[in-house]
Amino acid sequence: MDAAGAGRLTLGLEIIPLLFYVGAAGNCAVSVSQPAILEVDFAEGTVTVPCSFSIAGCRPEPLTKLWFRLGAQKPETLCVNGQCSSQADKFTVTEDLARNQTSLTVSRLTANDSAIYICGIALPSSRDPRAKQTGAGTVLVVRESKGLSTKLQRLLVAVLSLLSIYIVGVIMVFVVLSKSKSKTPTKKERDDSQKKKSARRLFQEIAQELYSKRHVGTSQQSEKDNTYENRRARYNCETP
């Protein structure tokens, strides 16, 4: 190879990286992906539409992130670089550029929020048409509530679980108290037992009193009979 040919080869090798760096080589490409459809009950209140992207062959520069909505009426620009001007606090953008992710959160859901939401990523200074791309769009379907929302269902399950634990605890306490009451005599039972003892004692005293009176009467009668016999014998002895 002559010196001129070697010089042109060296110049070409130096120019190719430069063109690649500035994007003139046409290798700068951006790709965007979104879920095809999201269905949500409007009772949920909010929904988040995710968007991920990748960049290849482009020189580093700040990205432009956009969110659009294609509704029944007309296309609508919702947010640009995280700034949403459509409705206050209606739309919120969250970004994680380290993971090449961004998301749009829609709050205060209504049936009118059913639309196609499109995420766009662009490198403003690049002339390559592939440096400005949008996703295929996410069809958001907001359904009317036909039952309890997921959050309300979870709350209801938690409340029922706590109520079940409370009922089981009450039953256990009731069983323990019932057993303790069955072993310990109540005040009424103690009073009844005391009354029975008093009645038994009174009966014994009455029986003892009757026995004593009868025994005394029998003794007196025996003494009278003995006295009468003694007098009679004495009289017989004195009579000739």
Side-chain angles (χ1 to χ4, degrees):
M1 181 179 296
D2 56 2
R8 286 193 297 269
L9 179 59
T10 302
L11 182 61
L13 292 175
E14 292 175 353
I15 291 176
I16 289 175
L18 180 62
L19 293 176
F20 181 83
Y21 180 78
V22 300
N27 291 327
C28 178
V30 175
S31 62
V32 182
S33 61
Q34 301 177 234
I37 186 171
L38 284 177
E39 295 186 11
V40 63
D41 195 311
F42 83 91
E44 296 287 341
T46 61
V47 64
T48 298
V49 183
C51 172
S52 60
F53 57 89
S54 63
I55 301 173
C58 305
R59 67 176 184 178
E61 66 173 299
L63 299 175
T64 299
K65 290 85 62 181
L66 307 98
W67 281 95
F68 308 92
R69 179 167 71 173
L70 300 179
Q73 299 177 356
K74 60 179 181 179
E76 181 182 3
T77 301
L78 301 178
C79 305
V80 178
N81 290 333
Q83 301 297 320
C84 305
S85 58
S86 177
Q87 300 179 38
D89 300 330
K90 174 70 174 178
F91 303 101
T92 306
V93 173
T94 303
E95 298 178 352
D96 187 355
L97 299 182
R99 298 183 179 181
N100 291 343
Q101 294 177 351
T102 181
S103 61
L104 175 69
T105 300
V106 186
S107 304
R108 303 190 304 275
L109 287 172
T110 65
N112 294 331
D113 292 321
S114 295
I116 301 175
Y117 291 80
I118 300 174
C119 172
I121 303 295
L123 295 169
S125 62
S126 178
R127 297 181 180 180
D128 195 308
R130 293 179 299 174
K132 302 174 179 64
Q133 297 292 324
T134 63
T138 299
V139 179
L140 177 63
V141 180
V142 181
R143 301 187 306 267
E144 293 184 0
S145 180
K146 294 182 179 180
L148 298 176
S149 63
T150 303
K151 292 183 180 179
L152 189 57
Q153 289 177 356
R154 293 175 181 175
L155 178 61
L156 183 59
V157 170
V159 171
L160 291 176
S161 300
L162 293 176
L163 183 60
S164 300
I165 295 173
Y166 173 77
I167 292 175
V168 171
V170 170
I171 293 175
M172 293 180 64
V173 171
F174 178 76
V175 171
V176 172
L177 291 177
S178 298
K179 289 183 178 180
S180 62
K181 287 182 178 180
S182 63
K183 294 180 179 180
T184 304
T186 62
K187 184 177 183 300
K188 183 178 179 182
E189 292 176 347
R190 291 195 297 269
D191 292 342
D192 292 342
S193 178
Q194 190 66 29
K195 290 179 180 179
K196 290 180 180 179
K197 291 181 180 179
S198 299
R200 188 180 299 110
R201 188 180 301 109
L202 180 60
F203 177 77
Q204 291 176 353
E205 292 176 355
I206 294 174
Q208 184 68 28
E209 183 68 20
L210 292 175
Y211 175 78
S212 299
K213 290 180 178 180
R214 183 177 179 184
H215 179 70
V216 170
T218 304
S219 300
Q220 292 177 353
Q221 184 66 32
S222 298
E223 291 177 357
K224 290 180 179 180
D225 292 343
N226 291 333
T227 302
Y228 177 77
E229 291 292 334
N230 291 333
R231 289 179 178 178
R232 184 177 179 182
R234 187 182 303 168
Y235 175 78
N236 290 334
C237 291
E238 292 176 354
T239 301

